[in-house]
Amino acid sequence: MNAVGEMELVLRGYQIPMVENVSLLDDIYDCIDLSDNEIRVLDDNFSLRTRLTTLVASNNHIDKISS
């Protein structure tokens, strides 16, 4: 739980190069924090998340975001 009472998954600072297999996570997170990693592309991995309202991706190297 984060400070505003949302279920949050924090993956900050792990030097993650890409986001894969988000569909394997249960749809229980309101917020996913991917800041301070090495992510270059955000693709359709998050499209099936109905509960997700906040995606934090600051301090990455994102040059492509899928529609």
mmCIF file of all heavy atoms in Angstrom, residues 5-49:
data_model
loop_
_atom_site.group_PDB
_atom_site.id
_atom_site.type_symbol
_atom_site.label_atom_id
_atom_site.label_comp_id
_atom_site.label_asym_id
_atom_site.label_seq_id
_atom_site.Cartn_x
_atom_site.Cartn_y
_atom_site.Cartn_z
ATOM 1 N N GLY A 5 -3.172 4.941 -0.065
ATOM 2 C CA GLY A 5 -4.000 3.761 0.113
ATOM 3 C C GLY A 5 -4.174 2.903 -1.117
ATOM 4 O O GLY A 5 -5.064 2.053 -1.157
ATOM 5 N N GLU A 6 -3.343 3.079 -2.128
ATOM 6 C CA GLU A 6 -3.423 2.270 -3.341
ATOM 7 C C GLU A 6 -2.473 1.083 -3.246
ATOM 8 O O GLU A 6 -1.430 1.164 -2.608
ATOM 9 C CB GLU A 6 -3.024 3.096 -4.569
ATOM 10 C CG GLU A 6 -3.906 4.274 -4.844
ATOM 11 C CD GLU A 6 -3.358 5.125 -5.961
ATOM 12 O OE1 GLU A 6 -2.128 5.223 -6.116
ATOM 13 O OE2 GLU A 6 -4.175 5.706 -6.677
ATOM 14 N N MET A 7 -2.838 -0.004 -3.893
ATOM 15 C CA MET A 7 -1.928 -1.147 -4.007
ATOM 16 C C MET A 7 -0.857 -0.764 -5.025
ATOM 17 O O MET A 7 -1.172 -0.403 -6.158
ATOM 18 C CB MET A 7 -2.670 -2.387 -4.485
ATOM 19 C CG MET A 7 -3.584 -2.981 -3.444
ATOM 20 S SD MET A 7 -2.702 -3.653 -2.033
ATOM 21 C CE MET A 7 -1.886 -5.034 -2.768
ATOM 22 N N GLU A 8 0.410 -0.814 -4.608
ATOM 23 C CA GLU A 8 1.503 -0.353 -5.459
ATOM 24 C C GLU A 8 2.578 -1.428 -5.575
ATOM 25 O O GLU A 8 2.956 -2.060 -4.590
ATOM 26 C CB GLU A 8 2.117 0.918 -4.874
ATOM 27 C CG GLU A 8 3.248 1.478 -5.700
ATOM 28 C CD GLU A 8 3.773 2.795 -5.153
ATOM 29 O OE1 GLU A 8 3.577 3.078 -3.948
ATOM 30 O OE2 GLU A 8 4.371 3.534 -5.925
ATOM 31 N N LEU A 9 3.062 -1.621 -6.796
ATOM 32 C CA LEU A 9 4.191 -2.497 -7.065
ATOM 33 C C LEU A 9 5.388 -1.600 -7.348
ATOM 34 O O LEU A 9 5.361 -0.810 -8.295
ATOM 35 C CB LEU A 9 3.907 -3.398 -8.264
ATOM 36 C CG LEU A 9 5.049 -4.300 -8.738
ATOM 37 C CD1 LEU A 9 5.450 -5.270 -7.635
ATOM 38 C CD2 LEU A 9 4.643 -5.037 -10.000
ATOM 39 N N VAL A 10 6.436 -1.694 -6.541
ATOM 40 C CA VAL A 10 7.601 -0.826 -6.691
ATOM 41 C C VAL A 10 8.757 -1.643 -7.259
ATOM 42 O O VAL A 10 9.243 -2.582 -6.625
ATOM 43 C CB VAL A 10 8.011 -0.201 -5.339
ATOM 44 C CG1 VAL A 10 9.246 0.659 -5.509
ATOM 45 C CG2 VAL A 10 6.867 0.611 -4.767
ATOM 46 N N LEU A 11 9.173 -1.292 -8.471
ATOM 47 C CA LEU A 11 10.312 -1.916 -9.150
ATOM 48 C C LEU A 11 11.345 -0.848 -9.469
ATOM 49 O O LEU A 11 11.997 -0.880 -10.502
ATOM 50 C CB LEU A 11 9.838 -2.621 -10.420
ATOM 51 C CG LEU A 11 8.830 -3.752 -10.203
ATOM 52 C CD1 LEU A 11 8.269 -4.239 -11.524
ATOM 53 C CD2 LEU A 11 9.458 -4.893 -9.427
ATOM 54 N N ARG A 12 11.524 0.071 -8.577
ATOM 55 C CA ARG A 12 12.404 1.229 -8.764
ATOM 56 C C ARG A 12 13.869 0.838 -8.574
ATOM 57 O O ARG A 12 14.237 0.172 -7.619
ATOM 58 C CB ARG A 12 12.029 2.301 -7.749
ATOM 59 C CG ARG A 12 12.822 3.558 -7.839
ATOM 60 C CD ARG A 12 12.454 4.564 -6.755
ATOM 61 N NE ARG A 12 11.019 4.726 -6.626
ATOM 62 C CZ ARG A 12 10.392 4.732 -5.457
ATOM 63 N NH1 ARG A 12 11.057 4.590 -4.330
ATOM 64 N NH2 ARG A 12 9.096 4.897 -5.407
ATOM 65 N N GLY A 13 14.712 1.299 -9.526
ATOM 66 C CA GLY A 13 16.149 1.191 -9.372
ATOM 67 C C GLY A 13 16.769 -0.177 -9.573
ATOM 68 O O GLY A 13 17.853 -0.434 -9.076
ATOM 69 N N TYR A 14 16.135 -1.063 -10.325
ATOM 70 C CA TYR A 14 16.674 -2.398 -10.554
ATOM 71 C C TYR A 14 17.406 -2.529 -11.888
ATOM 72 O O TYR A 14 17.779 -3.635 -12.272
ATOM 73 C CB TYR A 14 15.561 -3.451 -10.492
ATOM 74 C CG TYR A 14 15.048 -3.701 -9.102
ATOM 75 C CD1 TYR A 14 13.789 -3.257 -8.716
ATOM 76 C CD2 TYR A 14 15.824 -4.378 -8.169
ATOM 77 C CE1 TYR A 14 13.319 -3.485 -7.434
ATOM 78 C CE2 TYR A 14 15.360 -4.604 -6.884
ATOM 79 C CZ TYR A 14 14.106 -4.159 -6.530
ATOM 80 O OH TYR A 14 13.638 -4.388 -5.260
ATOM 81 N N GLN A 15 17.585 -1.430 -12.605
ATOM 82 C CA GLN A 15 18.249 -1.430 -13.920
ATOM 83 C C GLN A 15 17.527 -2.346 -14.911
ATOM 84 O O GLN A 15 18.158 -3.005 -15.744
ATOM 85 C CB GLN A 15 19.727 -1.819 -13.788
ATOM 86 C CG GLN A 15 20.520 -0.948 -12.845
ATOM 87 C CD GLN A 15 20.449 0.532 -13.194
ATOM 88 O OE1 GLN A 15 20.628 0.900 -14.345
ATOM 89 N NE2 GLN A 15 20.146 1.364 -12.216
ATOM 90 N N ILE A 16 16.218 -2.399 -14.847
ATOM 91 C CA ILE A 16 15.396 -3.223 -15.735
ATOM 92 C C ILE A 16 15.484 -2.659 -17.153
ATOM 93 O O ILE A 16 15.207 -1.485 -17.368
ATOM 94 C CB ILE A 16 13.931 -3.229 -15.258
ATOM 95 C CG1 ILE A 16 13.843 -3.856 -13.868
ATOM 96 C CG2 ILE A 16 13.038 -3.962 -16.249
ATOM 97 C CD1 ILE A 16 12.499 -3.678 -13.209
ATOM 98 N N PRO A 17 15.867 -3.472 -18.162
ATOM 99 C CA PRO A 17 16.005 -2.967 -19.527
ATOM 100 C C PRO A 17 14.695 -2.953 -20.319
ATOM 101 O O PRO A 17 14.559 -2.194 -21.277
ATOM 102 C CB PRO A 17 16.999 -3.930 -20.168
ATOM 103 C CG PRO A 17 16.801 -5.210 -19.427
ATOM 104 C CD PRO A 17 16.413 -4.817 -18.023
ATOM 105 N N MET A 18 13.740 -3.818 -19.952
ATOM 106 C CA MET A 18 12.463 -3.855 -20.663
ATOM 107 C C MET A 18 11.381 -4.423 -19.763
ATOM 108 O O MET A 18 11.674 -5.128 -18.796
ATOM 109 C CB MET A 18 12.570 -4.678 -21.949
ATOM 110 C CG MET A 18 12.841 -6.139 -21.719
ATOM 111 S SD MET A 18 13.023 -7.102 -23.229
ATOM 112 C CE MET A 18 14.477 -6.387 -23.923
ATOM 113 N N VAL A 19 10.151 -4.105 -20.105
ATOM 114 C CA VAL A 19 9.006 -4.593 -19.336
ATOM 115 C C VAL A 19 8.377 -5.732 -20.119
ATOM 116 O O VAL A 19 7.948 -5.553 -21.252
ATOM 117 C CB VAL A 19 7.984 -3.469 -19.098
ATOM 118 C CG1 VAL A 19 6.808 -3.986 -18.301
ATOM 119 C CG2 VAL A 19 8.637 -2.301 -18.402
ATOM 120 N N GLU A 20 8.352 -6.909 -19.514
ATOM 121 C CA GLU A 20 7.786 -8.086 -20.160
ATOM 122 C C GLU A 20 6.851 -8.810 -19.201
ATOM 123 O O GLU A 20 6.990 -8.703 -17.986
ATOM 124 C CB GLU A 20 8.891 -9.067 -20.557
ATOM 125 C CG GLU A 20 9.844 -8.556 -21.593
ATOM 126 C CD GLU A 20 10.907 -9.595 -21.915
ATOM 127 O OE1 GLU A 20 11.517 -10.127 -20.980
ATOM 128 O OE2 GLU A 20 11.089 -9.848 -23.103
ATOM 129 N N ASN A 21 5.922 -9.543 -19.762
ATOM 130 C CA ASN A 21 5.062 -10.456 -18.996
ATOM 131 C C ASN A 21 4.258 -9.786 -17.890
ATOM 132 O O ASN A 21 4.027 -10.382 -16.842
ATOM 133 C CB ASN A 21 5.882 -11.610 -18.419
ATOM 134 C CG ASN A 21 6.563 -12.415 -19.490
ATOM 135 O OD1 ASN A 21 6.001 -12.643 -20.554
ATOM 136 N ND2 ASN A 21 7.781 -12.827 -19.230
ATOM 137 N N VAL A 22 3.845 -8.566 -18.121
ATOM 138 C CA VAL A 22 2.975 -7.892 -17.152
ATOM 139 C C VAL A 22 1.657 -8.651 -17.027
ATOM 140 O O VAL A 22 1.033 -8.654 -15.973
ATOM 141 C CB VAL A 22 2.734 -6.425 -17.565
ATOM 142 C CG1 VAL A 22 1.736 -5.750 -16.651
ATOM 143 C CG2 VAL A 22 4.052 -5.664 -17.569
ATOM 144 N N SER A 23 1.282 -9.346 -18.069
ATOM 145 C CA SER A 23 0.023 -10.105 -18.038
ATOM 146 C C SER A 23 0.054 -11.223 -16.998
ATOM 147 O O SER A 23 -0.992 -11.722 -16.600
ATOM 148 C CB SER A 23 -0.273 -10.680 -19.419
ATOM 149 O OG SER A 23 0.759 -11.561 -19.814
ATOM 150 N N LEU A 24 1.235 -11.619 -16.530
ATOM 151 C CA LEU A 24 1.326 -12.653 -15.504
ATOM 152 C C LEU A 24 0.969 -12.133 -14.118
ATOM 153 O O LEU A 24 0.667 -12.913 -13.219
ATOM 154 C CB LEU A 24 2.738 -13.248 -15.471
ATOM 155 C CG LEU A 24 3.173 -13.983 -16.740
ATOM 156 C CD1 LEU A 24 4.605 -14.463 -16.597
ATOM 157 C CD2 LEU A 24 2.249 -15.141 -17.041
ATOM 158 N N LEU A 25 1.006 -10.816 -13.946
ATOM 159 C CA LEU A 25 0.631 -10.222 -12.663
ATOM 160 C C LEU A 25 -0.882 -10.220 -12.524
ATOM 161 O O LEU A 25 -1.605 -9.969 -13.482
ATOM 162 C CB LEU A 25 1.111 -8.769 -12.574
ATOM 163 C CG LEU A 25 2.605 -8.516 -12.546
ATOM 164 C CD1 LEU A 25 2.872 -7.018 -12.619
ATOM 165 C CD2 LEU A 25 3.220 -9.094 -11.299
ATOM 166 N N ASP A 26 -1.356 -10.493 -11.338
ATOM 167 C CA ASP A 26 -2.783 -10.332 -11.093
ATOM 168 C C ASP A 26 -3.124 -8.855 -11.222
ATOM 169 O O ASP A 26 -2.291 -7.989 -10.960
ATOM 170 C CB ASP A 26 -3.146 -10.819 -9.690
ATOM 171 C CG ASP A 26 -3.067 -12.326 -9.565
ATOM 172 O OD1 ASP A 26 -3.228 -13.012 -10.589
ATOM 173 O OD2 ASP A 26 -2.819 -12.801 -8.439
ATOM 174 N N ASP A 27 -4.339 -8.557 -11.604
ATOM 175 C CA ASP A 27 -4.777 -7.168 -11.794
ATOM 176 C C ASP A 27 -5.182 -6.570 -10.440
ATOM 177 O O ASP A 27 -6.332 -6.231 -10.209
ATOM 178 C CB ASP A 27 -5.925 -7.122 -12.788
ATOM 179 C CG ASP A 27 -6.216 -5.717 -13.279
ATOM 180 O OD1 ASP A 27 -5.330 -4.854 -13.163
ATOM 181 O OD2 ASP A 27 -7.325 -5.491 -13.776
ATOM 182 N N ILE A 28 -4.209 -6.466 -9.523
ATOM 183 C CA ILE A 28 -4.498 -5.966 -8.178
ATOM 184 C C ILE A 28 -3.801 -4.645 -7.874
ATOM 185 O O ILE A 28 -3.990 -4.083 -6.807
ATOM 186 C CB ILE A 28 -4.107 -7.000 -7.102
ATOM 187 C CG1 ILE A 28 -2.613 -7.292 -7.145
ATOM 188 C CG2 ILE A 28 -4.916 -8.269 -7.238
ATOM 189 C CD1 ILE A 28 -2.117 -8.098 -5.954
ATOM 190 N N TYR A 29 -3.002 -4.155 -8.821
ATOM 191 C CA TYR A 29 -2.211 -2.953 -8.556
ATOM 192 C C TYR A 29 -2.859 -1.705 -9.153
ATOM 193 O O TYR A 29 -3.250 -1.691 -10.308
ATOM 194 C CB TYR A 29 -0.793 -3.104 -9.107
ATOM 195 C CG TYR A 29 -0.055 -4.240 -8.455
ATOM 196 C CD1 TYR A 29 0.154 -5.435 -9.118
ATOM 197 C CD2 TYR A 29 0.402 -4.120 -7.149
ATOM 198 C CE1 TYR A 29 0.815 -6.487 -8.513
ATOM 199 C CE2 TYR A 29 1.061 -5.171 -6.522
ATOM 200 C CZ TYR A 29 1.263 -6.345 -7.215
ATOM 201 O OH TYR A 29 1.902 -7.386 -6.607
ATOM 202 N N ASP A 30 -2.946 -0.658 -8.330
ATOM 203 C CA ASP A 30 -3.416 0.639 -8.787
ATOM 204 C C ASP A 30 -2.263 1.450 -9.368
ATOM 205 O O ASP A 30 -2.455 2.299 -10.218
ATOM 206 C CB ASP A 30 -4.017 1.441 -7.616
ATOM 207 C CG ASP A 30 -5.168 0.709 -6.963
ATOM 208 O OD1 ASP A 30 -6.170 0.464 -7.648
ATOM 209 O OD2 ASP A 30 -5.061 0.386 -5.765
ATOM 210 N N CYS A 31 -1.053 1.183 -8.893
ATOM 211 C CA CYS A 31 0.128 1.954 -9.269
ATOM 212 C C CYS A 31 1.311 1.011 -9.458
ATOM 213 O O CYS A 31 1.532 0.117 -8.649
ATOM 214 C CB CYS A 31 0.433 2.979 -8.173
ATOM 215 S SG CYS A 31 1.906 3.967 -8.475
ATOM 216 N N ILE A 32 2.075 1.232 -10.540
ATOM 217 C CA ILE A 32 3.324 0.501 -10.753
ATOM 218 C C ILE A 32 4.426 1.533 -10.926
ATOM 219 O O ILE A 32 4.335 2.423 -11.769
ATOM 220 C CB ILE A 32 3.249 -0.429 -11.979
ATOM 221 C CG1 ILE A 32 2.156 -1.478 -11.779
ATOM 222 C CG2 ILE A 32 4.601 -1.094 -12.226
ATOM 223 C CD1 ILE A 32 1.946 -2.406 -12.960
ATOM 224 N N ASP A 33 5.460 1.419 -10.120
ATOM 225 C CA ASP A 33 6.585 2.357 -10.149
ATOM 226 C C ASP A 33 7.787 1.683 -10.802
ATOM 227 O O ASP A 33 8.375 0.756 -10.251
ATOM 228 C CB ASP A 33 6.944 2.796 -8.729
ATOM 229 C CG ASP A 33 8.033 3.851 -8.675
ATOM 230 O OD1 ASP A 33 8.665 4.132 -9.715
ATOM 231 O OD2 ASP A 33 8.265 4.401 -7.582
ATOM 232 N N LEU A 34 8.137 2.146 -12.004
ATOM 233 C CA LEU A 34 9.269 1.621 -12.759
ATOM 234 C C LEU A 34 10.385 2.658 -12.884
ATOM 235 O O LEU A 34 11.241 2.544 -13.754
ATOM 236 C CB LEU A 34 8.808 1.209 -14.158
ATOM 237 C CG LEU A 34 7.813 0.063 -14.228
ATOM 238 C CD1 LEU A 34 7.242 -0.056 -15.627
ATOM 239 C CD2 LEU A 34 8.464 -1.236 -13.809
ATOM 240 N N SER A 35 10.415 3.647 -12.033
ATOM 241 C CA SER A 35 11.393 4.723 -12.159
ATOM 242 C C SER A 35 12.815 4.237 -11.879
ATOM 243 O O SER A 35 13.030 3.215 -11.238
ATOM 244 C CB SER A 35 11.037 5.883 -11.225
ATOM 245 O OG SER A 35 10.975 5.459 -9.891
ATOM 246 N N ASP A 36 13.773 4.988 -12.407
ATOM 247 C CA ASP A 36 15.205 4.728 -12.213
ATOM 248 C C ASP A 36 15.645 3.368 -12.746
ATOM 249 O O ASP A 36 16.355 2.611 -12.080
ATOM 250 C CB ASP A 36 15.599 4.846 -10.736
ATOM 251 C CG ASP A 36 15.295 6.219 -10.166
ATOM 252 O OD1 ASP A 36 15.493 7.212 -10.898
ATOM 253 O OD2 ASP A 36 14.852 6.309 -9.018
ATOM 254 N N ASN A 37 15.225 3.034 -13.962
ATOM 255 C CA ASN A 37 15.627 1.806 -14.631
ATOM 256 C C ASN A 37 16.234 2.148 -15.993
ATOM 257 O O ASN A 37 16.613 3.292 -16.222
ATOM 258 C CB ASN A 37 14.429 0.862 -14.776
ATOM 259 C CG ASN A 37 14.082 0.196 -13.466
ATOM 260 O OD1 ASN A 37 14.853 -0.589 -12.936
ATOM 261 N ND2 ASN A 37 12.925 0.513 -12.919
ATOM 262 N N GLU A 38 16.353 1.186 -16.880
ATOM 263 C CA GLU A 38 16.943 1.368 -18.208
ATOM 264 C C GLU A 38 15.934 1.086 -19.319
ATOM 265 O O GLU A 38 16.314 0.690 -20.418
ATOM 266 C CB GLU A 38 18.162 0.440 -18.367
ATOM 267 C CG GLU A 38 19.258 0.663 -17.356
ATOM 268 C CD GLU A 38 19.939 2.012 -17.513
ATOM 269 O OE1 GLU A 38 20.050 2.492 -18.663
ATOM 270 O OE2 GLU A 38 20.341 2.594 -16.487
ATOM 271 N N ILE A 39 14.668 1.304 -19.057
ATOM 272 C CA ILE A 39 13.595 0.979 -19.999
ATOM 273 C C ILE A 39 13.640 1.932 -21.197
ATOM 274 O O ILE A 39 13.760 3.139 -21.038
ATOM 275 C CB ILE A 39 12.227 1.047 -19.299
ATOM 276 C CG1 ILE A 39 12.196 0.036 -18.164
ATOM 277 C CG2 ILE A 39 11.086 0.811 -20.291
ATOM 278 C CD1 ILE A 39 11.035 0.199 -17.218
ATOM 279 N N ARG A 40 13.541 1.384 -22.411
ATOM 280 C CA ARG A 40 13.550 2.178 -23.644
ATOM 281 C C ARG A 40 12.192 2.185 -24.346
ATOM 282 O O ARG A 40 11.894 3.116 -25.074
ATOM 283 C CB ARG A 40 14.612 1.669 -24.602
ATOM 284 C CG ARG A 40 16.023 1.844 -24.075
ATOM 285 C CD ARG A 40 17.043 1.725 -25.179
ATOM 286 N NE ARG A 40 18.360 2.059 -24.687
ATOM 287 C CZ ARG A 40 18.857 3.281 -24.617
ATOM 288 N NH1 ARG A 40 18.127 4.294 -24.997
ATOM 289 N NH2 ARG A 40 20.065 3.491 -24.166
ATOM 290 N N VAL A 41 11.400 1.137 -24.157
ATOM 291 C CA VAL A 41 10.119 1.016 -24.865
ATOM 292 C C VAL A 41 9.025 0.642 -23.864
ATOM 293 O O VAL A 41 9.192 -0.276 -23.074
ATOM 294 C CB VAL A 41 10.194 -0.064 -25.969
ATOM 295 C CG1 VAL A 41 8.841 -0.262 -26.621
ATOM 296 C CG2 VAL A 41 11.247 0.282 -27.002
ATOM 297 N N LEU A 42 7.915 1.363 -23.936
ATOM 298 C CA LEU A 42 6.702 0.974 -23.207
ATOM 299 C C LEU A 42 5.712 0.502 -24.255
ATOM 300 O O LEU A 42 5.249 1.286 -25.076
ATOM 301 C CB LEU A 42 6.122 2.149 -22.417
ATOM 302 C CG LEU A 42 6.857 2.533 -21.150
ATOM 303 C CD1 LEU A 42 6.204 3.751 -20.510
ATOM 304 C CD2 LEU A 42 6.906 1.385 -20.161
ATOM 305 N N ASP A 43 5.406 -0.781 -24.247
ATOM 306 C CA ASP A 43 4.505 -1.303 -25.266
ATOM 307 C C ASP A 43 3.157 -1.678 -24.673
ATOM 308 O O ASP A 43 2.772 -1.180 -23.630
ATOM 309 C CB ASP A 43 5.155 -2.475 -26.010
ATOM 310 C CG ASP A 43 5.624 -3.575 -25.089
ATOM 311 O OD1 ASP A 43 5.173 -3.621 -23.937
ATOM 312 O OD2 ASP A 43 6.450 -4.394 -25.525
ATOM 313 N N ASP A 44 2.444 -2.560 -25.336
ATOM 314 C CA ASP A 44 1.067 -2.882 -24.976
ATOM 315 C C ASP A 44 0.933 -3.778 -23.752
ATOM 316 O O ASP A 44 -0.148 -4.281 -23.476
ATOM 317 C CB ASP A 44 0.362 -3.561 -26.151
ATOM 318 C CG ASP A 44 0.178 -2.620 -27.316
ATOM 319 O OD1 ASP A 44 0.116 -1.407 -27.070
ATOM 320 O OD2 ASP A 44 0.106 -3.097 -28.462
ATOM 321 N N ASN A 45 1.994 -3.986 -23.006
ATOM 322 C CA ASN A 45 1.930 -4.857 -21.822
ATOM 323 C C ASN A 45 0.931 -4.379 -20.779
ATOM 324 O O ASN A 45 0.454 -5.161 -19.980
ATOM 325 C CB ASN A 45 3.306 -4.952 -21.152
ATOM 326 C CG ASN A 45 4.235 -5.855 -21.897
ATOM 327 O OD1 ASN A 45 3.862 -6.927 -22.309
ATOM 328 N ND2 ASN A 45 5.462 -5.412 -22.087
ATOM 329 N N PHE A 46 0.628 -3.100 -20.766
ATOM 330 C CA PHE A 46 -0.235 -2.547 -19.723
ATOM 331 C C PHE A 46 -1.687 -2.406 -20.170
ATOM 332 O O PHE A 46 -2.532 -2.017 -19.387
ATOM 333 C CB PHE A 46 0.295 -1.181 -19.287
ATOM 334 C CG PHE A 46 1.676 -1.264 -18.709
ATOM 335 C CD1 PHE A 46 2.774 -0.966 -19.486
ATOM 336 C CD2 PHE A 46 1.871 -1.651 -17.400
ATOM 337 C CE1 PHE A 46 4.053 -1.054 -18.967
ATOM 338 C CE2 PHE A 46 3.139 -1.749 -16.867
ATOM 339 C CZ PHE A 46 4.231 -1.453 -17.655
ATOM 340 N N SER A 47 -1.991 -2.747 -21.414
ATOM 341 C CA SER A 47 -3.335 -2.507 -21.944
ATOM 342 C C SER A 47 -4.417 -3.349 -21.273
ATOM 343 O O SER A 47 -5.565 -2.946 -21.251
ATOM 344 C CB SER A 47 -3.354 -2.737 -23.458
ATOM 345 O OG SER A 47 -3.029 -4.081 -23.744
ATOM 346 N N LEU A 48 -4.068 -4.481 -20.725
ATOM 347 C CA LEU A 48 -5.068 -5.355 -20.104
ATOM 348 C C LEU A 48 -5.250 -5.088 -18.612
ATOM 349 O O LEU A 48 -6.020 -5.758 -17.956
ATOM 350 C CB LEU A 48 -4.697 -6.818 -20.329
ATOM 351 C CG LEU A 48 -4.626 -7.253 -21.780
ATOM 352 C CD1 LEU A 48 -4.152 -8.701 -21.871
ATOM 353 C CD2 LEU A 48 -5.964 -7.078 -22.469
ATOM 354 N N ARG A 49 -4.554 -4.146 -18.081
ATOM 355 C CA ARG A 49 -4.660 -3.815 -16.663
ATOM 356 C C ARG A 49 -5.851 -2.885 -16.455
ATOM 357 O O ARG A 49 -5.790 -1.718 -16.786
ATOM 358 C CB ARG A 49 -3.401 -3.131 -16.134
ATOM 359 C CG ARG A 49 -2.092 -3.834 -16.414
ATOM 360 C CD ARG A 49 -1.923 -5.101 -15.618
ATOM 361 N NE ARG A 49 -2.406 -6.220 -16.426
ATOM 362 C CZ ARG A 49 -2.750 -7.394 -15.944
ATOM 363 N NH1 ARG A 49 -2.686 -7.634 -14.680
ATOM 364 N NH2 ARG A 49 -3.160 -8.344 -16.723
#
